């Protein structure tokens, strides 16, 4: 494992809560590492367990579901 | 199911964030990134069999029906005006997850041709007794059947897609 390893995390963010929260974090200039690859859903309840498996099958190092 | 598959539980994270909690979101991303970095890259090629089995398991009737039902089962009376305790709901789910994951592994290794119970045990890493038990469940559901004999050893095939 190299020193510069940065994980790629697949993130499902719901439009109304988590995505808006992320937007607020950006506007407020809170710092966080660029590890998330975001897919916006209308509701986190829409996220099927199969999507999580698909993420791992594709090779993401982690899956983050927020809503 | 991640635990059964040998995948680190922390690779999948669930967090509640509201639209007003920008700082909290940033903090969660920091935490999750740190945890994920510590685990190292996910080696998807090592887990092909396990991920395929997990996919099969999450496509089964039983898990599709049970997913999301935990709250309702534990917090609402049924028609007999009794209620299932959260512990029992947890047990039911755990048993369903283990059963469907094991059967997913078996159907996955059977997809390339007939195998004996011992061969299935070797390929899946499950005990012979477990294969026997789950194979029986698959046969009852019409998803696997006896195929032929190799000498005196019975071989089984998958009837699933």
């Amino acid at each position: 494992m190299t020193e510069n390893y940065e994980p790629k995390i697949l993130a499902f963010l719901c439009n109304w809560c988590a995505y808006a929260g992320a937007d607020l974090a950006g506007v407020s200039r809170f710092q966080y590492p660029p590890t998330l690859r975001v897919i916006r859903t209308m509701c986190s309840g829409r996220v099927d367990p199969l999507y999580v498996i698909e993420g791992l099958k594709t090779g993401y190092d982690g899956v983050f579901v927020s809503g | 199911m991640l635990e059964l598959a040998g995948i680190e539980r922390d690779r999948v994270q669930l967090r509640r964030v509201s639209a007003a909690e920008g700082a909290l979101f940033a903090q969660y991303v920091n935490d999750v990134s740190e945890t994920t970095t510590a685990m190292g890259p996910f080696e998807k090629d090592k887990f092909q069999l396990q991920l395929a089995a997990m996919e099969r398991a999450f496509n089964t009737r039983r898990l599709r029906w049970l997913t999301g039902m935990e709250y309702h089962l534990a917090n609402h009376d049924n028609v007999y005006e009794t209620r299932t305790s959260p512990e029992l709901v947890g047990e039911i789910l755990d048993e369903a997850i283990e059963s469907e994951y094991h059967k997913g592994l078996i159907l996955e290794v059977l997809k390339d041709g007939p195998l004996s119970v011992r061969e299935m045990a070797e390929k899946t890493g499950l005990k012979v007794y477990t294969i026997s038990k789950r194979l029986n469940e698959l046969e009852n559901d019409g998803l696997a059947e006896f195929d032929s004999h190799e000498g005196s050893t019975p071989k089984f095939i998958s009837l699933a897609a």
Side-chain angles (χ1 to χ4, degrees):
Chain A
M1 201 191 344
T2 66
E3 274 305 321
N4 311 332
Y5 163 62
E6 244 192 31
K8 290 194 207 34
I9 300 174
L10 181 61
F12 292 96
L13 304 183
C14 88
N15 181 61
W16 312 105
C17 298
Y19 194 85
D23 198 47
L24 179 59
V27 165
S28 315
R29 305 276 184 265
F30 288 119
Q31 299 282 345
Y32 57 82
T35 50
L36 300 189
R37 306 293 190 266
V38 176
I39 293 180
R40 184 164 51 140
T41 61
M42 282 298 124
C43 173
S44 54
R46 180 66 184 90
V47 180
D48 197 313
L50 288 169
Y51 299 172
V52 175
I53 297 177
E54 193 60 36
L56 292 174
K57 274 171 68 177
T58 308
Y60 284 99
D61 302 307
V63 181
F64 180 74
V65 179
S66 189
Chain B
M1 207 184 291
L2 286 169
E3 222 178 278
L4 288 171
I7 298 174
E8 297 98 324
R9 176 69 187 81
D10 284 337
R11 294 239 178 238
V12 179
Q13 300 276 352
L14 178 69
R15 294 284 189 283
R16 191 210 54 78
V17 176
S18 85
E21 293 169 310
L24 191 59
F25 180 82
Q27 186 204 312
Y28 284 152
V29 180
N30 273 309
D31 293 346
V32 170
S33 303
E34 208 179 289
T35 310
T36 312
T37 308
M39 289 188 284
F42 176 63
E43 292 156 318
K44 68 177 164 90
D45 298 322
K46 275 176 56 182
F47 291 101
Q48 267 181 22
L49 171 63
Q50 289 82 353
L51 288 172
M54 287 171 75
E55 194 172 351
R56 282 182 186 271
F58 277 119
N59 268 314
T60 57
R61 259 186 330 221
R62 179 149 60 142
L63 290 190
R64 300 298 295 169
W65 287 351
L66 283 176
T67 304
M69 289 298 292
E70 307 91 337
Y71 182 81
H72 182 86
L73 284 172
N75 291 288
H76 290 104
D77 283 357
N78 59 27
V79 295
Y80 306 104
E81 290 176 7
T82 58
R83 192 175 294 190
T84 323
S85 74
E87 293 78 29
L88 184 55
V89 175
E91 275 174 36
I92 291 171
L93 261 179
D94 285 344
E95 201 280 316
I97 286 172
E98 193 181 78
S99 163
E100 299 301 342
Y101 175 67
H102 285 169
K103 290 191 282 187
L105 280 174
I106 292 175
L107 288 176
E108 193 58 28
V109 299
L110 281 178
K111 76 175 186 219
D112 295 320
L115 293 174
S116 70
V117 171
R118 196 160 296 276
E119 287 167 335
M120 284 185 246
E122 273 166 43
K123 285 180 189 278
T124 59
L126 299 174
K127 295 196 288 222
V128 168
Y129 170 68
T130 309
I131 300 279
S132 199
K133 189 167 75 166
R134 301 303 183 201
L135 192 58
N136 195 34
E137 287 176 40
L138 286 169
E139 284 174 314
N140 288 338
D141 287 337
L143 292 171
E145 69 176 2
F146 167 75
D147 177 56
S148 56
H149 272 111
E150 187 182 276
S152 61
T153 313
K155 294 228 175 202
F156 299 86
I157 51 166
S158 152
L159 297 173

